[in-house]
Amino acid sequence: MKLTIESFLPILLALLFSPLIVGIIRRTKAFFAGRKGFPILQMYRDLWKLLGKGTVYSSSSTWLFKLAPLVSLAVALLACAWLPFGSFPGLVAFRGDFVVIVYLLGLARFLTILAALDTASPFEGMGANREAFFAVFAEPAVLVGFAAVSGIPGGRSLWSALSALSAGSYADNGVVLSLTATAFFILALSENSRIPVDDPTTHLELTMIHEVMILDNSGPDLAFIEYASGLKLWFFFVLVADTVLPLFGQGLLLRTGLMLVMVVALSVATGAIESAMARLRMMKVPQLLGSAMALSFVALLLKGIL
């Protein structure tokens, strides 16, 4: 696969607009709550402010605590660079590349858990335990969902499979694509610590998962983590949009414009979901993630891969 200027567009769009979708979610929640809310561009200001602040480290933490934010940001950038954006290819594509993406996301999760344990904080250790437990359900669902999409005729790499999708793909594989898109959206909420799995705005340590693991982070480290969270949210939204895009045609400008519209629509939908329902009880979260895993497996079975 040749590198072209278009190959860099997915990562450039992710870098520019990933904080924006967080702002859209916040404004949607504020609208449903009858409040004015933060400006849509507030996350850009927050990131800039955090980058200008100093960093405080616990005396019990080691180099792992300093390494985790950098790795999380680097992995999020790599994942966004790998994923095509509508008609624009990613930077890298090879047979079975989706397995590498899953392992990269797993690496970022692993180091985040280690960093939380490295602080010797019981609250952060509790959040790390929950994160590791829910990963048992989430990561297989992501991997199987990728396998189902890559099984669509057109290629075995993520780029070749997604780029081969057309309006006719839904005639033969509409059920598979619909199931995987639904599973990816559930995983987008789970993997990015959104309601109903987690509440990114809460300050109650006993109910937090991801947020409690980063309580000791500050300054640029916290900016890297927040930026990585926005990039990861962008990654899953673009993945859902890439999966359902064949419904709308294949013109270059049309697909690119519709990709942006669909990412915004998914952001609004996420904000609406968070406004309409409360966070699930901890014992109910595995059932939600199990439903995403079941959808991915059914899609894979329907493709006749198993």
Side-chain angles (χ1 to χ4, degrees):
M1 176 179 173
K2 290 184 178 181
L3 289 179
T4 63
I5 296 177
E6 293 181 351
S7 301
F8 291 91
L9 186 66
I11 192 170
L12 291 176
L13 290 174
L15 286 169
L16 288 174
F17 295 116
S18 57
L20 181 64
I21 62 175
V22 177
I24 294 174
I25 294 174
R26 291 175 178 174
R27 285 302 294 267
T28 303
K29 294 174 66 176
F31 171 79
F32 280 99
R35 298 182 287 106
K36 182 177 180 181
F38 291 109
I40 291 181
L41 302 179
Q42 182 63 44
M43 188 173 179
Y44 295 96
R45 302 174 184 175
D46 294 341
L47 292 174
W48 181 256
K49 185 181 294 185
L50 287 172
L51 289 173
K53 291 182 176 292
T55 305
V56 179
Y57 295 109
S58 169
S59 58
S60 63
S61 62
T62 65
W63 58 271
L64 275 173
F65 185 77
K66 301 177 183 179
L67 179 64
L70 293 172
V71 173
S72 296
L73 180 59
V75 165
L77 285 172
L78 281 174
C80 291
W82 224 302
L83 192 66
F85 185 88
S87 298
F88 299 100
L91 284 176
V92 185
F94 54 86
R95 185 180 179 89
D97 57 358
F98 61 89
V99 177
V100 178
I101 298 177
V102 174
Y103 271 89
L104 284 173
L105 296 175
L107 174 63
R109 188 200 304 273
F110 177 66
L111 284 179
T112 302
I113 291 173
L114 286 183
L117 295 174
D118 194 44
T119 62
S121 167
F123 281 126
E124 295 195 34
M126 177 181 60
N129 177 57
R130 293 170 178 171
E131 180 77 9
F133 174 64
F134 294 146
V136 174
F137 301 93
E139 290 181 356
V142 176
L143 182 60
V144 175
F146 278 149
V149 171
S150 297
I152 302 293
R156 292 294 181 176
S157 71
L158 192 59
W159 154 242
S160 59
L162 291 174
S163 62
L165 295 178
S166 63
S169 300
Y170 267 83
D172 301 323
N173 304 289
V175 176
V176 173
L177 294 172
S178 299
L179 290 175
T180 52
T182 304
F184 286 147
F185 183 70
I186 295 174
L187 292 168
L189 301 179
S190 168
E191 292 292 275
N192 294 282
S193 305
R194 313 300 308 190
I195 292 175
V197 176
D198 194 10
D199 188 351
T201 62
T202 185
H203 296 286
L204 300 176
E205 291 90 344
L206 292 176
T207 62
M208 289 192 289
I209 302 174
H210 178 265
E211 294 301 312
V212 74
M213 293 194 296
I214 61 173
L215 285 177
D216 277 21
N217 292 101
S218 59
D221 287 350
L222 185 57
F224 295 155
I225 292 173
E226 295 293 341
Y227 203 174
S229 298
L231 287 169
K232 194 174 179 182
L233 190 62
W234 174 272
F235 171 83
F236 277 97
F237 283 175
V238 170
L239 181 61
V240 174
D242 274 331
T243 307
V244 302
L245 188 62
L247 287 171
F248 304 103
Q250 294 192 32
L252 182 62
L253 293 177
L254 179 62
R255 289 188 68 181
T256 304
L258 284 172
M259 283 290 295
L260 292 172
V261 171
M262 291 175 66
V263 170
V264 171
L266 290 169
S267 304
V268 173
T270 301
I273 290 173
E274 294 191 3
S275 302
M277 64 184 302
R279 181 184 163 279
L280 292 175
R281 297 173 62 184
M282 286 291 177
M283 63 181 66
K284 299 291 185 181
V285 174
Q287 298 180 16
L288 177 66
L289 297 178
S291 67
M293 187 186 301
L295 290 172
S296 297
F297 268 107
V298 170
L300 192 61
L301 286 169
L302 289 176
K303 276 306 301 171
I305 297 177
L306 288 180

